[in-house]
Amino acid sequence: MIDWRGAVRAVLGALRGVRRGPTVTYGLIAACCLLFVIGPVSGLNPAYGTGDQLLAAQGAYFRRWGVVPADLMSGVPGALLTPLTALFVHGSWLHLLGNMLFLYVFGAMAEERMGPVEFALFYLGAGYLALLGYAVAYASSEQTLVGASGAISGVLGAFLFLFPRSRVTSLFPFLFFLPLRFPAWIVLIFWFVLQWLAARAAGAGPGVAYLAHVVGFSVGFLYAWARHRGGDRVKAQTAATEGESQP
C-alpha cells in the first residue's frame, strides 16, 4: 500500500528546500515597470493620445496617484493613500530604471535577511514615512511627488546596518567612472551625506526630493537596528553598481 501521507510530506519538504529567490523584490520591480509601460508617462499607450492631450493625461495621472503635500496635510479625501500609490509611479524612463537598478541590487539581500513578508511591509512603511516626512516639511507645496525613491532609500539604510562590510562596485563621475570596490558602509554613508547636503539646498519645487531620501534612509537604518540588532550581522559580499543616479 502506498503511503500517500508520507509522499505528500516528502514533496512539501522538498518544495520548502527550493530557493525561491527575492520574490518580493522582483514583484515590486515588475509592478513598477508594468504600471509605467501602460501609463501615460511611457508614451507607449496610444489610449492617452499625443501632444497636448498626452501632456494633460500625464499631469492628471501624477495628480491622482502622486503625493501633493498641500492635499495630504489638509486632509483631502483619498490623499492619505497617495504615499503608497506614489511608490509605483515614476516620472520618466530614467527615473524608473535608476530606481529599479538600486532596488534590484540592494533589495534582494535585504529581503533574504528579513524574509518576504517583513520586507514587503518594511518597504511600504519606509516609503510611506519618507513621502509623509517630505509632505510635513513642505506642507503648503502644490508640487506632485512620485517615485519609489523613499522606499528604496529605506532599503539602502537597512542594507547599511545589515551588511556594512559587503563590498560594492561603485562608479564615481569625479573619478572618471572607474569601477572601484568599497565596503558598503563607505559607499552608503557617502551617498547619505550627499542627499543630506542636497536636501538642505533644495526647496519644494520640481526636481529630486532629496529630503524624502534622507527620511527613508534614516527610517530604514533605525528599523534594521531596532529589529535585527540582536542577530548576526551578515558579512557576505555582493557586487553592486552605485553612482550619481539617485533612487
Side-chain angles (χ1 to χ4, degrees):
M1 182 177 179
I2 300 176
D3 183 6
W4 291 106
R5 292 183 180 178
V8 170
R9 285 195 296 268
V11 171
L12 292 177
L15 290 176
R16 282 194 294 268
V18 175
R19 185 179 180 85
R20 293 179 298 176
T23 54
V24 173
T25 298
Y26 294 158
L28 289 169
I29 293 173
C32 288
C33 291
L34 176 62
L35 291 173
F36 183 83
V37 168
I38 66 177
V41 185
S42 69
L44 299 178
N45 189 339
Y48 292 103
T50 58
D52 292 339
Q53 183 182 5
L54 178 60
L55 292 176
Q58 291 173 353
Y61 184 76
F62 291 145
R63 184 82 188 187
R64 179 178 181 182
W65 302 113
V67 174
V68 179
D71 292 349
L72 183 58
M73 292 296 99
S74 61
V76 172
L80 283 176
L81 292 178
T82 56
L84 290 179
T85 59
L87 298 178
F88 298 90
V89 179
H90 289 84
S92 67
W93 282 99
L94 183 61
H95 188 201
L96 172 72
L97 295 176
N99 275 350
M100 295 306 100
L101 174 61
F102 273 75
L103 179 56
Y104 173 77
V105 169
F106 293 98
M109 289 182 66
E111 179 183 347
E112 182 179 2
R113 180 70 173 85
M114 294 182 183
V117 175
E118 180 185 348
F119 179 76
L121 295 175
F122 160 76
Y123 180 90
L124 296 175
Y128 191 102
L129 292 176
L131 298 182
L132 179 62
Y134 181 92
V136 169
Y138 300 105
S140 62
S141 174
E142 296 284 346
Q143 292 292 333
T144 305
L145 184 63
V146 297
S149 305
I152 297 171
S153 297
V155 173
L156 299 184
F159 193 97
L160 174 60
F161 180 82
L162 297 173
F163 308 99
R165 298 183 183 179
S166 294
R167 301 188 68 84
V168 295
T169 301
S170 307
L171 301 176
F172 295 100
F174 58 84
L175 293 178
F176 305 102
F177 292 97
L178 293 175
L180 303 174
R181 289 177 63 79
F182 297 99
W185 69 269
I186 293 179
V187 174
L188 293 178
I189 289 178
F190 178 76
W191 179 88
F192 176 78
V193 170
L194 288 180
Q195 305 308 298
W196 181 73
L197 293 174
R200 294 188 61 186
V208 180
Y210 294 106
L211 181 60
H213 298 176
V214 172
V215 175
F217 189 96
S218 301
V219 168
F221 183 86
L222 291 174
Y223 173 84
W225 173 81
R227 176 71 174 83
H228 296 280
R229 70 179 185 274
D232 295 331
R233 298 176 71 179
V234 181
K235 300 179 181 179
Q237 299 209 354
T238 184
T241 301
E242 178 93 17
E244 279 200 330
S245 180
Q246 305 297 342

